[in-house]
Amino acid sequence: MFRKKDQDGSTPEATPSPRPATTPMPTRGPAAAAAPAAAAGRPAADASAGKRLIVGEGLSLSGDITACDLLIVEGSVHVTLNDTPAIEIAETGRFTNGKASVEEATISGIYQGELTVRGRLLVRGTGRVDGSIRYGELEVERGGRLAGSIEILSESTPASTPAPTPAV
């Protein structure tokens, strides 16, 4: 970086910078979000979510959460979710005494409270869901547990209703 002046008195090729070099700040956006999500084993679709709230391991949060696209719980929460399309509870996550009405939910940790999932509720093998549970579609991996009041939102089987007989 520094070198002695040439004997002819010319200036050196590289002059010292008046400011120390800094590490570039990480960029935000879909490309930057995809790397941590992929490293954490999350699907790429979750990484592209706009407004994400991550409650990290060892953290605790209570209150109301509104207008969040994806809530990721790695710590502990006691919240009411409003206008939140998706929730993901990691193995270390605990959602207790709360209320949530979401489009999709993936539970790998503990959920206790009132849960309404209009789309798909996925309970991983390490997941425990206890309380008042309503869902549109349900998938429970081996080892996953459900307890409490469990109700399907709507029947998705059109075969259960008889087809009308055509008039002759």
Side-chain angles (χ1 to χ4, degrees):
M1 192 158 139
F2 296 97
R3 67 182 186 111
K4 292 181 181 182
K5 289 184 177 181
D6 292 337
Q7 292 181 354
D8 63 355
S10 65
T11 59
E13 289 178 17
T15 58
S17 170
R19 295 175 24 188
T22 59
T23 307
M25 294 296 290
T27 59
R28 293 182 183 245
R42 293 190 194 104
D46 290 349
S48 65
K51 297 178 275 187
R52 278 188 307 175
L53 175 60
I54 301 173
V55 179
E57 192 172 350
L59 295 178
S60 182
L61 177 70
S62 65
D64 290 340
I65 298 174
T66 57
C68 174
D69 291 334
L70 173 64
L71 172 64
I72 300 172
V73 180
E74 296 170 350
S76 176
V77 298
H78 174 99
V79 299
T80 299
L81 290 181
N82 301 307
D83 300 325
T84 301
I87 182 171
E88 178 182 319
I89 300 177
E91 285 187 42
T92 58
R94 296 181 56 89
F95 190 111
T96 57
N97 299 322
K99 181 178 179 181
S101 179
V102 296
E103 199 60 41
E104 291 188 14
T106 302
I107 314 293
S108 298
I110 297 171
Y111 186 100
Q112 296 172 331
E114 188 176 324
L115 176 62
T116 301
V117 182
R118 293 177 297 279
R120 185 176 117 172
L121 169 59
L122 170 60
V123 181
R124 298 274 185 201
T126 56
R128 309 288 179 260
V129 182
D130 186 9
S132 177
I133 305 155
R134 298 174 13 154
Y135 63 90
E137 180 181 328
L138 177 64
E139 181 178 347
V140 181
E141 290 182 350
R142 184 177 189 174
R145 295 187 186 169
L146 292 173
S149 168
I150 303 167
E151 177 184 343
I152 190 164
L153 288 176
S154 65
E155 295 294 328
S156 60
T157 56
S160 64
T161 59
T165 309
V168 181

